[in-house]
Amino acid sequence: MQDIAALQELLDPLFPGLMGVRLVSLAPERVAAEMRVRPDLCTTGGILHGGATMAFADTLGAVGTFLNLTSGKRTTTTDSSTKFIAGARVDSTVTAESVALHRGRTTMVWQTTIRNAEGKLCAVATQTQLVLDAAG
């Protein structure tokens, strides 16, 4: 099992780090994180941008898959579907939980729920991660 601090260190110099994604808990079947809604992640009106929401969810599904990879494997997202339900305001914090729906040898499917500071459901994303050989 990956140490949460070590995995956060891997994410920090990458796009998730740029967005401010902070891992909260890790398990092979569940990943949780939070992200501050900054003005540069918003649309007009100070609401979290849909693309930022999707990238947040994609990160959690990828992290979940990463936790389940065997040596010599890597992953990439093959498809993702997001349903937007409510907004999250600037200067608040959104939380996300991603749970494994399927953890197979060649694909993994994760469903991520994102909630605003009031606990209201903002989005549900379902994604498929392909498991590939690291070399190639």
Side-chain angles (χ1 to χ4, degrees):
M1 174 56 108
Q2 285 283 328
D3 172 77
I4 197 165
L7 193 47
Q8 185 68 56
E9 190 175 319
L10 286 174
L11 292 179
D12 282 345
L14 305 174
F15 186 63
L18 181 66
M19 288 181 29
V21 173
R22 292 285 161 238
L23 298 171
V24 173
S25 67
L26 300 175
E29 68 287 338
R30 182 185 168 279
V31 176
E34 63 184 20
M35 183 177 72
R36 187 84 181 145
V37 181
R38 303 184 321 243
D40 59 327
L41 297 176
C42 290
T43 63
T44 57
I47 300 298
L48 183 64
H49 190 283
T53 300
M54 293 170 71
F56 187 28
D58 184 66
T59 297
L60 269 66
V63 166
T65 300
F66 178 79
L67 293 174
N68 287 278
L69 291 177
T70 57
S71 180
K73 299 291 184 179
R74 64 183 173 93
T75 186
T76 190
T77 306
T78 61
D79 66 86
S80 182
S81 172
T82 304
K83 305 298 182 216
F84 297 99
I85 298 162
R89 298 208 172 278
V90 67
D91 294 327
S92 67
T93 298
V94 289
T95 57
E97 178 183 61
S98 189
V99 294
L101 301 179
H102 167 72
R103 292 184 297 154
R105 187 177 50 80
T106 58
T107 62
M108 298 193 196
V109 180
W110 293 81
Q111 186 171 61
T112 304
T113 55
I114 298 174
R115 296 184 180 279
N116 64 21
E118 293 76 36
K120 186 172 183 178
L121 185 63
C122 293
V124 177
T126 305
Q127 73 192 77
T128 302
Q129 293 288 132
L130 184 61
V131 177
L132 302 163
D133 290 330

